[in-house]
PDB file of all heavy atoms in Angstrom:
ATOM      1  N   TRP U 306      40.642 -72.042  60.923  1.00 98.00           N
ATOM      2  CA  TRP U 306      41.197 -71.368  59.732  1.00 98.00           C
ATOM      3  C   TRP U 306      42.457 -72.116  59.212  1.00 98.00           C
ATOM      4  O   TRP U 306      43.200 -72.623  60.045  1.00 98.00           O
ATOM      5  CB  TRP U 306      41.609 -69.921  60.047  1.00 98.00           C
ATOM      6  CG  TRP U 306      40.507 -69.080  60.601  1.00 98.00           C
ATOM      7  CD1 TRP U 306      40.434 -68.607  61.937  1.00 98.00           C
ATOM      8  CD2 TRP U 306      39.489 -68.451  59.918  1.00 98.00           C
ATOM      9  NE1 TRP U 306      39.340 -67.835  62.056  1.00 98.00           N
ATOM     10  CE2 TRP U 306      38.654 -67.719  60.813  1.00 98.00           C
ATOM     11  CE3 TRP U 306      39.015 -68.500  58.585  1.00 98.00           C
ATOM     12  CZ2 TRP U 306      37.544 -67.023  60.503  1.00 98.00           C
ATOM     13  CZ3 TRP U 306      37.878 -67.858  58.288  1.00 98.00           C
ATOM     14  CH2 TRP U 306      37.074 -67.078  59.173  1.00 98.00           C
ATOM     15  N   ASP U 307      42.600 -72.158  57.976  1.00 98.00           N
ATOM     16  CA  ASP U 307      43.847 -72.514  57.327  1.00 98.00           C
ATOM     17  C   ASP U 307      44.574 -71.188  57.037  1.00 98.00           C
ATOM     18  O   ASP U 307      44.323 -70.479  56.034  1.00 98.00           O
ATOM     19  CB  ASP U 307      43.589 -73.295  56.061  1.00 98.00           C
ATOM     20  CG  ASP U 307      44.834 -73.577  55.245  1.00 98.00           C
ATOM     21  OD1 ASP U 307      45.949 -73.245  55.721  1.00 98.00           O
ATOM     22  OD2 ASP U 307      44.801 -74.236  54.155  1.00 98.00           O
ATOM     23  N   GLU U 308      45.541 -70.859  57.916  1.00 98.00           N
ATOM     24  CA  GLU U 308      46.105 -69.530  57.898  1.00 98.00           C
ATOM     25  C   GLU U 308      47.175 -69.392  56.776  1.00 98.00           C
ATOM     26  O   GLU U 308      47.618 -68.259  56.475  1.00 98.00           O
ATOM     27  CB  GLU U 308      46.727 -69.153  59.204  1.00 98.00           C
ATOM     28  CG  GLU U 308      45.565 -69.095  60.247  1.00 98.00           C
ATOM     29  CD  GLU U 308      46.153 -68.678  61.675  1.00 98.00           C
ATOM     30  OE1 GLU U 308      47.436 -68.732  61.869  1.00 98.00           O
ATOM     31  OE2 GLU U 308      45.355 -68.250  62.573  1.00 98.00           O
ATOM     32  N   GLY U 309      47.539 -70.484  56.190  1.00 96.00           N
ATOM     33  CA  GLY U 309      48.474 -70.427  55.037  1.00 96.00           C
ATOM     34  C   GLY U 309      49.869 -69.984  55.389  1.00 96.00           C
ATOM     35  O   GLY U 309      50.288 -69.969  56.540  1.00 96.00           O
ATOM     36  N   PRO U 310      50.648 -69.631  54.342  1.00 95.00           N
ATOM     37  CA  PRO U 310      52.049 -69.300  54.492  1.00 95.00           C
ATOM     38  C   PRO U 310      52.405 -68.009  55.161  1.00 95.00           C
ATOM     39  O   PRO U 310      53.608 -67.831  55.473  1.00 95.00           O
ATOM     40  CB  PRO U 310      52.606 -69.336  53.011  1.00 95.00           C
ATOM     41  CG  PRO U 310      51.365 -68.920  52.267  1.00 95.00           C
ATOM     42  CD  PRO U 310      50.148 -69.520  52.956  1.00 95.00           C
ATOM     43  N   ASN U 311      51.420 -67.177  55.421  1.00 98.00           N
ATOM     44  CA  ASN U 311      51.749 -65.861  55.971  1.00 98.00           C
ATOM     45  C   ASN U 311      51.545 -65.779  57.457  1.00 98.00           C
ATOM     46  O   ASN U 311      51.694 -64.702  58.031  1.00 98.00           O
ATOM     47  CB  ASN U 311      50.808 -64.778  55.331  1.00 98.00           C
ATOM     48  CG  ASN U 311      51.062 -64.728  53.859  1.00 98.00           C
ATOM     49  OD1 ASN U 311      52.179 -64.735  53.328  1.00 98.00           O
ATOM     50  ND2 ASN U 311      49.965 -64.673  53.052  1.00 98.00           N
ATOM     51  N   ALA U 312      51.256 -66.879  58.046  1.00 97.00           N
ATOM     52  CA  ALA U 312      50.982 -66.892  59.494  1.00 97.00           C
ATOM     53  C   ALA U 312      52.130 -66.536  60.425  1.00 97.00           C
ATOM     54  O   ALA U 312      51.926 -66.250  61.591  1.00 97.00           O
ATOM     55  CB  ALA U 312      50.399 -68.265  59.903  1.00 97.00           C
ATOM     56  N   LYS U 313      53.301 -66.485  59.902  1.00 97.00           N
ATOM     57  CA  LYS U 313      54.489 -66.171  60.733  1.00 97.00           C
ATOM     58  C   LYS U 313      55.061 -64.722  60.392  1.00 97.00           C
ATOM     59  O   LYS U 313      56.081 -64.363  61.041  1.00 97.00           O
ATOM     60  CB  LYS U 313      55.602 -67.166  60.509  1.00 97.00           C
ATOM     61  CG  LYS U 313      55.236 -68.655  60.847  1.00 97.00           C
ATOM     62  CD  LYS U 313      54.804 -68.713  62.285  1.00 97.00           C
ATOM     63  CE  LYS U 313      54.433 -70.246  62.611  1.00 97.00           C
ATOM     64  NZ  LYS U 313      54.032 -70.295  64.083  1.00 97.00           N
ATOM     65  N   VAL U 314      54.362 -63.999  59.500  1.00 98.00           N
ATOM     66  CA  VAL U 314      54.813 -62.723  59.214  1.00 98.00           C
ATOM     67  C   VAL U 314      54.578 -61.795  60.326  1.00 98.00           C
ATOM     68  O   VAL U 314      53.551 -61.815  61.017  1.00 98.00           O
ATOM     69  CB  VAL U 314      54.154 -62.206  57.926  1.00 98.00           C
ATOM     70  CG1 VAL U 314      54.611 -60.763  57.638  1.00 98.00           C
ATOM     71  CG2 VAL U 314      54.463 -63.143  56.756  1.00 98.00           C
ATOM     72  N   SER U 315      55.502 -60.844  60.604  1.00 98.00           N
ATOM     73  CA  SER U 315      55.428 -59.811  61.634  1.00 98.00           C
ATOM     74  C   SER U 315      55.795 -58.458  61.147  1.00 98.00           C
ATOM     75  O   SER U 315      56.455 -58.326  60.080  1.00 98.00           O
ATOM     76  CB  SER U 315      56.235 -60.203  62.868  1.00 98.00           C
ATOM     77  OG  SER U 315      57.525 -60.126  62.520  1.00 98.00           O
ATOM     78  N   SER U 316      55.519 -57.557  61.880  1.00 98.00           N
ATOM     79  CA  SER U 316      56.035 -56.140  61.539  1.00 98.00           C
ATOM     80  C   SER U 316      57.521 -56.104  61.410  1.00 98.00           C
ATOM     81  O   SER U 316      58.088 -55.444  60.602  1.00 98.00           O
ATOM     82  CB  SER U 316      55.561 -55.068  62.605  1.00 98.00           C
ATOM     83  OG  SER U 316      54.134 -54.847  62.541  1.00 98.00           O
ATOM     84  N   SER U 317      58.159 -56.815  62.301  1.00 98.00           N
ATOM     85  CA  SER U 317      59.640 -56.929  62.365  1.00 98.00           C
ATOM     86  C   SER U 317      60.153 -57.557  61.023  1.00 98.00           C
ATOM     87  O   SER U 317      61.150 -57.030  60.454  1.00 98.00           O
ATOM     88  CB  SER U 317      60.175 -57.663  63.555  1.00 98.00           C
ATOM     89  OG  SER U 317      61.497 -57.808  63.570  1.00 98.00           O
ATOM     90  N   SER U 318      59.493 -58.678  60.584  1.00 98.00           N
ATOM     91  CA  SER U 318      60.038 -59.342  59.376  1.00 98.00           C
ATOM     92  C   SER U 318      59.710 -58.467  58.195  1.00 98.00           C
ATOM     93  O   SER U 318      60.561 -58.417  57.230  1.00 98.00           O
ATOM     94  CB  SER U 318      59.376 -60.744  59.245  1.00 98.00           C
ATOM     95  OG  SER U 318      57.948 -60.611  59.068  1.00 98.00           O
ATOM     96  N   ILE U 319      58.602 -57.725  58.170  1.00 98.00           N
ATOM     97  CA  ILE U 319      58.318 -56.796  57.102  1.00 98.00           C
ATOM     98  C   ILE U 319      59.399 -55.682  57.025  1.00 98.00           C
ATOM     99  O   ILE U 319      59.916 -55.266  55.978  1.00 98.00           O
ATOM    100  CB  ILE U 319      56.862 -56.256  57.242  1.00 98.00           C
ATOM    101  CG1 ILE U 319      55.845 -57.321  56.976  1.00 98.00           C
ATOM    102  CG2 ILE U 319      56.701 -55.124  56.224  1.00 98.00           C
ATOM    103  CD1 ILE U 319      54.524 -56.916  57.324  1.00 98.00           C
ATOM    104  N   ALA U 320      59.674 -55.125  58.251  1.00 98.00           N
ATOM    105  CA  ALA U 320      60.659 -54.047  58.296  1.00 98.00           C
ATOM    106  C   ALA U 320      62.066 -54.447  57.786  1.00 98.00           C
ATOM    107  O   ALA U 320      62.766 -53.779  57.111  1.00 98.00           O
ATOM    108  CB  ALA U 320      60.758 -53.559  59.744  1.00 98.00           C
ATOM    109  N   ASP U 321      62.400 -55.752  58.195  1.00 98.00           N
ATOM    110  CA  ASP U 321      63.661 -56.243  57.698  1.00 98.00           C
ATOM    111  C   ASP U 321      63.706 -56.341  56.150  1.00 98.00           C
ATOM    112  O   ASP U 321      64.804 -56.022  55.564  1.00 98.00           O
ATOM    113  CB  ASP U 321      63.970 -57.683  58.319  1.00 98.00           C
ATOM    114  CG  ASP U 321      64.281 -57.547  59.834  1.00 98.00           C
ATOM    115  OD1 ASP U 321      64.598 -56.457  60.295  1.00 98.00           O
ATOM    116  OD2 ASP U 321      64.165 -58.562  60.394  1.00 98.00           O
ATOM    117  N   THR U 322      62.608 -56.779  55.538  1.00 97.00           N
ATOM    118  CA  THR U 322      62.608 -56.911  54.075  1.00 97.00           C
ATOM    119  C   THR U 322      62.732 -55.545  53.486  1.00 97.00           C
ATOM    120  O   THR U 322      63.547 -55.329  52.475  1.00 97.00           O
ATOM    121  CB  THR U 322      61.261 -57.534  53.673  1.00 97.00           C
ATOM    122  OG1 THR U 322      61.183 -58.873  54.180  1.00 97.00           O
ATOM    123  CG2 THR U 322      61.205 -57.640  52.185  1.00 97.00           C
ATOM    124  N   LEU U 323      62.051 -54.558  53.964  1.00 98.00           N
ATOM    125  CA  LEU U 323      62.151 -53.185  53.434  1.00 98.00           C
ATOM    126  C   LEU U 323      63.456 -52.589  53.697  1.00 98.00           C
ATOM    127  O   LEU U 323      63.987 -51.812  52.755  1.00 98.00           O
ATOM    128  CB  LEU U 323      61.053 -52.336  54.108  1.00 98.00           C
ATOM    129  CG  LEU U 323      59.712 -52.217  53.329  1.00 98.00           C
ATOM    130  CD1 LEU U 323      59.055 -53.612  53.188  1.00 98.00           C
ATOM    131  CD2 LEU U 323      58.705 -51.333  54.130  1.00 98.00           C
ATOM    132  N   LYS U 324      64.121 -52.868  54.734  1.00 98.00           N
ATOM    133  CA  LYS U 324      65.454 -52.367  55.086  1.00 98.00           C
ATOM    134  C   LYS U 324      66.507 -52.816  53.992  1.00 98.00           C
ATOM    135  O   LYS U 324      67.311 -51.991  53.598  1.00 98.00           O
ATOM    136  CB  LYS U 324      65.993 -52.742  56.432  1.00 98.00           C
ATOM    137  CG  LYS U 324      67.240 -52.207  56.814  1.00 98.00           C
ATOM    138  CD  LYS U 324      67.668 -52.637  58.268  1.00 98.00           C
ATOM    139  CE  LYS U 324      68.976 -52.082  58.673  1.00 98.00           C
ATOM    140  NZ  LYS U 324      69.344 -52.544  60.044  1.00 98.00           N
ATOM    141  N   GLN U 325      66.277 -54.073  53.495  1.00 97.00           N
ATOM    142  CA  GLN U 325      67.199 -54.523  52.427  1.00 97.00           C
ATOM    143  C   GLN U 325      66.985 -53.719  51.199  1.00 97.00           C
ATOM    144  O   GLN U 325      68.034 -53.541  50.481  1.00 97.00           O
ATOM    145  CB  GLN U 325      66.896 -56.029  52.160  1.00 97.00           C
ATOM    146  CG  GLN U 325      67.161 -56.972  53.339  1.00 97.00           C
ATOM    147  CD  GLN U 325      66.638 -58.345  53.045  1.00 97.00           C
ATOM    148  OE1 GLN U 325      66.371 -58.810  51.960  1.00 97.00           O
ATOM    149  NE2 GLN U 325      66.567 -59.115  54.121  1.00 97.00           N
ATOM    150  N   GLY U 326      65.801 -53.253  50.945  1.00 98.00           N
ATOM    151  CA  GLY U 326      65.629 -52.391  49.703  1.00 98.00           C
ATOM    152  C   GLY U 326      66.269 -51.099  49.773  1.00 98.00           C
ATOM    153  O   GLY U 326      66.491 -50.492  48.714  1.00 98.00           O
ATOM    154  N   LEU U 327      66.578 -50.600  50.919  1.00 98.00           N
ATOM    155  CA  LEU U 327      67.280 -49.278  50.971  1.00 98.00           C
ATOM    156  C   LEU U 327      68.617 -49.228  50.335  1.00 98.00           C
ATOM    157  O   LEU U 327      69.092 -48.172  49.822  1.00 98.00           O
ATOM    158  CB  LEU U 327      67.341 -48.861  52.441  1.00 98.00           C
ATOM    159  CG  LEU U 327      66.027 -48.584  53.199  1.00 98.00           C
ATOM    160  CD1 LEU U 327      66.342 -48.209  54.634  1.00 98.00           C
ATOM    161  CD2 LEU U 327      65.194 -47.547  52.543  1.00 98.00           C
ATOM    162  N   ASP U 328      69.233 -50.401  50.329  1.00 96.00           N
ATOM    163  CA  ASP U 328      70.646 -50.454  49.792  1.00 96.00           C
ATOM    164  C   ASP U 328      70.703 -51.347  48.536  1.00 96.00           C
ATOM    165  O   ASP U 328      71.797 -51.681  48.055  1.00 96.00           O
ATOM    166  CB  ASP U 328      71.579 -50.993  50.847  1.00 96.00           C
ATOM    167  CG  ASP U 328      71.772 -49.994  52.003  1.00 96.00           C
ATOM    168  OD1 ASP U 328      71.909 -48.808  51.718  1.00 96.00           O
ATOM    169  OD2 ASP U 328      71.538 -50.435  53.166  1.00 96.00           O
ATOM    170  N   ALA U 329      69.570 -51.724  47.990  1.00 95.00           N
ATOM    171  CA  ALA U 329      69.597 -52.512  46.750  1.00 95.00           C
ATOM    172  C   ALA U 329      70.174 -51.699  45.690  1.00 95.00           C
ATOM    173  O   ALA U 329      70.170 -50.480  45.556  1.00 95.00           O
ATOM    174  CB  ALA U 329      68.124 -52.998  46.453  1.00 95.00           C
ATOM    175  N   GLU U 330      70.860 -52.474  44.727  1.00 93.00           N
ATOM    176  CA  GLU U 330      71.601 -51.830  43.667  1.00 93.00           C
ATOM    177  C   GLU U 330      70.681 -51.053  42.720  1.00 93.00           C
ATOM    178  O   GLU U 330      71.010 -49.934  42.338  1.00 93.00           O
ATOM    179  CB  GLU U 330      72.332 -52.825  42.864  1.00 93.00           C
ATOM    180  CG  GLU U 330      73.210 -52.294  41.759  1.00 93.00           C
ATOM    181  CD  GLU U 330      74.368 -51.454  42.351  1.00 93.00           C
ATOM    182  OE1 GLU U 330      74.772 -51.660  43.416  1.00 93.00           O
ATOM    183  OE2 GLU U 330      74.754 -50.504  41.562  1.00 93.00           O
ATOM    184  N   GLN U 331      69.482 -51.627  42.449  1.00 92.00           N
ATOM    185  CA  GLN U 331      68.579 -50.992  41.466  1.00 92.00           C
ATOM    186  C   GLN U 331      67.201 -50.610  42.105  1.00 92.00           C
ATOM    187  O   GLN U 331      66.817 -51.213  43.047  1.00 92.00           O
ATOM    188  CB  GLN U 331      68.402 -51.868  40.352  1.00 92.00           C
ATOM    189  CG  GLN U 331      69.730 -52.247  39.514  1.00 92.00           C
ATOM    190  CD  GLN U 331      70.294 -50.967  38.878  1.00 92.00           C
ATOM    191  OE1 GLN U 331      69.594 -50.123  38.452  1.00 92.00           O
ATOM    192  NE2 GLN U 331      71.576 -50.989  38.667  1.00 92.00           N
ATOM    193  N   GLY U 332      66.654 -49.632  41.545  1.00 96.00           N
ATOM    194  CA  GLY U 332      65.186 -49.276  41.857  1.00 96.00           C
ATOM    195  C   GLY U 332      64.475 -48.699  40.718  1.00 96.00           C
ATOM    196  O   GLY U 332      65.164 -48.254  39.767  1.00 96.00           O
ATOM    197  N   PHE U 333      63.200 -48.605  40.779  1.00 98.00           N
ATOM    198  CA  PHE U 333      62.458 -48.011  39.736  1.00 98.00           C
ATOM    199  C   PHE U 333      62.607 -46.499  39.847  1.00 98.00           C
ATOM    200  O   PHE U 333      62.268 -45.949  40.888  1.00 98.00           O
ATOM    201  CB  PHE U 333      60.991 -48.381  39.753  1.00 98.00           C
ATOM    202  CG  PHE U 333      60.766 -49.893  39.497  1.00 98.00           C
ATOM    203  CD1 PHE U 333      60.456 -50.690  40.617  1.00 98.00           C
ATOM    204  CD2 PHE U 333      60.880 -50.378  38.211  1.00 98.00           C
ATOM    205  CE1 PHE U 333      60.308 -52.114  40.328  1.00 98.00           C
ATOM    206  CE2 PHE U 333      60.676 -51.752  37.990  1.00 98.00           C
ATOM    207  CZ  PHE U 333      60.415 -52.589  39.036  1.00 98.00           C
ATOM    208  N   VAL U 334      63.024 -45.777  38.855  1.00 98.00           N
ATOM    209  CA  VAL U 334      63.334 -44.341  38.917  1.00 98.00           C
ATOM    210  C   VAL U 334      62.058 -43.571  38.669  1.00 98.00           C
ATOM    211  O   VAL U 334      61.324 -43.790  37.700  1.00 98.00           O
ATOM    212  CB  VAL U 334      64.412 -43.989  37.805  1.00 98.00           C
ATOM    213  CG1 VAL U 334      64.645 -42.494  37.857  1.00 98.00           C
ATOM    214  CG2 VAL U 334      65.676 -44.711  38.117  1.00 98.00           C
ATOM    215  N   GLY U 335      61.751 -42.596  39.606  1.00 98.00           N
ATOM    216  CA  GLY U 335      60.635 -41.719  39.434  1.00 98.00           C
ATOM    217  C   GLY U 335      61.065 -40.281  39.173  1.00 98.00           C
ATOM    218  O   GLY U 335      60.261 -39.477  38.715  1.00 98.00           O
ATOM    219  N   ASN U 336      62.318 -39.994  39.372  1.00 98.00           N
ATOM    220  CA  ASN U 336      62.773 -38.597  39.115  1.00 98.00           C
ATOM    221  C   ASN U 336      64.286 -38.620  39.047  1.00 98.00           C
ATOM    222  O   ASN U 336      64.963 -39.192  39.916  1.00 98.00           O
ATOM    223  CB  ASN U 336      62.344 -37.700  40.228  1.00 98.00           C
ATOM    224  CG  ASN U 336      62.268 -36.214  39.829  1.00 98.00           C
ATOM    225  OD1 ASN U 336      62.919 -35.839  38.847  1.00 98.00           O
ATOM    226  ND2 ASN U 336      61.554 -35.412  40.666  1.00 98.00           N
ATOM    227  N   LYS U 337      64.843 -38.104  38.005  1.00 98.00           N
ATOM    228  CA  LYS U 337      66.287 -38.128  37.845  1.00 98.00           C
ATOM    229  C   LYS U 337      66.767 -36.919  37.046  1.00 98.00           C
ATOM    230  O   LYS U 337      66.189 -36.562  35.971  1.00 98.00           O
ATOM    231  CB  LYS U 337      66.706 -39.325  37.087  1.00 98.00           C
ATOM    232  CG  LYS U 337      68.233 -39.618  36.988  1.00 98.00           C
ATOM    233  CD  LYS U 337      68.507 -40.919  36.325  1.00 98.00           C
ATOM    234  CE  LYS U 337      70.033 -41.262  36.403  1.00 98.00           C
ATOM    235  NZ  LYS U 337      70.868 -40.258  35.722  1.00 98.00           N
ATOM    236  N   SER U 338      67.798 -36.258  37.510  1.00 98.00           N
ATOM    237  CA  SER U 338      68.513 -35.225  36.755  1.00 98.00           C
ATOM    238  C   SER U 338      69.971 -35.257  37.204  1.00 98.00           C
ATOM    239  O   SER U 338      70.307 -35.444  38.283  1.00 98.00           O
ATOM    240  CB  SER U 338      67.890 -33.859  37.036  1.00 98.00           C
ATOM    241  OG  SER U 338      68.002 -33.526  38.397  1.00 98.00           O
ATOM    242  N   GLY U 339      70.855 -35.046  36.196  1.00 98.00           N
ATOM    243  CA  GLY U 339      72.239 -35.080  36.524  1.00 98.00           C
ATOM    244  C   GLY U 339      72.742 -36.497  36.995  1.00 98.00           C
ATOM    245  O   GLY U 339      72.142 -37.547  36.704  1.00 98.00           O
ATOM    246  N   ASP U 340      73.733 -36.518  37.775  1.00 98.00           N
ATOM    247  CA  ASP U 340      74.363 -37.731  38.357  1.00 98.00           C
ATOM    248  C   ASP U 340      74.513 -37.648  39.861  1.00 98.00           C
ATOM    249  O   ASP U 340      75.496 -37.162  40.346  1.00 98.00           O
ATOM    250  CB  ASP U 340      75.721 -38.007  37.653  1.00 98.00           C
ATOM    251  CG  ASP U 340      76.232 -39.405  37.955  1.00 98.00           C
ATOM    252  OD1 ASP U 340      75.773 -40.050  38.969  1.00 98.00           O
ATOM    253  OD2 ASP U 340      77.027 -39.924  37.172  1.00 98.00           O
ATOM    254  N   ALA U 341      73.355 -38.074  40.525  1.00 98.00           N
ATOM    255  CA  ALA U 341      73.376 -37.925  42.031  1.00 98.00           C
ATOM    256  C   ALA U 341      74.415 -38.758  42.658  1.00 98.00           C
ATOM    257  O   ALA U 341      75.031 -38.283  43.662  1.00 98.00           O
ATOM    258  CB  ALA U 341      71.947 -38.271  42.439  1.00 98.00           C
ATOM    259  N   LYS U 342      74.551 -40.007  42.147  1.00 97.00           N
ATOM    260  CA  LYS U 342      75.616 -40.912  42.768  1.00 97.00           C
ATOM    261  C   LYS U 342      77.055 -40.447  42.671  1.00 97.00           C
ATOM    262  O   LYS U 342      77.776 -40.428  43.603  1.00 97.00           O
ATOM    263  CB  LYS U 342      75.451 -42.335  42.171  1.00 97.00           C
ATOM    264  CG  LYS U 342      74.113 -42.978  42.536  1.00 97.00           C
ATOM    265  CD  LYS U 342      74.090 -44.458  41.981  1.00 97.00           C
ATOM    266  CE  LYS U 342      72.824 -45.154  42.489  1.00 97.00           C
ATOM    267  NZ  LYS U 342      72.652 -46.493  41.926  1.00 97.00           N
ATOM    268  N   ALA U 343      77.387 -39.796  41.525  1.00 98.00           N
ATOM    269  CA  ALA U 343      78.632 -39.200  41.420  1.00 98.00           C
ATOM    270  C   ALA U 343      78.837 -37.944  42.299  1.00 98.00           C
ATOM    271  O   ALA U 343      79.887 -37.821  42.945  1.00 98.00           O
ATOM    272  CB  ALA U 343      78.858 -38.761  39.896  1.00 98.00           C
ATOM    273  N   ALA U 344      77.804 -37.125  42.399  1.00 98.00           N
ATOM    274  CA  ALA U 344      77.907 -36.020  43.277  1.00 98.00           C
ATOM    275  C   ALA U 344      78.116 -36.397  44.703  1.00 98.00           C
ATOM    276  O   ALA U 344      78.850 -35.781  45.442  1.00 98.00           O
ATOM    277  CB  ALA U 344      76.579 -35.163  43.128  1.00 98.00           C
ATOM    278  N   ILE U 345      77.360 -37.489  45.165  1.00 98.00           N
ATOM    279  CA  ILE U 345      77.511 -37.963  46.478  1.00 98.00           C
ATOM    280  C   ILE U 345      78.883 -38.531  46.767  1.00 98.00           C
ATOM    281  O   ILE U 345      79.552 -38.254  47.778  1.00 98.00           O
ATOM    282  CB  ILE U 345      76.402 -38.972  46.818  1.00 98.00           C
ATOM    283  CG1 ILE U 345      75.043 -38.298  46.829  1.00 98.00           C
ATOM    284  CG2 ILE U 345      76.693 -39.669  48.173  1.00 98.00           C
ATOM    285  CD1 ILE U 345      73.847 -39.290  46.854  1.00 98.00           C
TER     286      ILE U 345
END
Side-chain angles (χ1 to χ4, degrees):
W306 304 106
D307 176 359
E308 296 182 345
N311 300 315
K313 299 301 181 182
V314 177
S315 67
S316 290
S317 178
S318 66
I319 293 172
D321 288 343
T322 300
L323 268 57
K324 184 178 180 181
Q325 295 172 18
L327 296 178
D328 296 311
E330 183 63 27
Q331 299 295 328
F333 296 104
V334 176
N336 202 342
K337 187 178 188 298
S338 63
D340 191 338
K342 291 185 177 180
I345 291 169

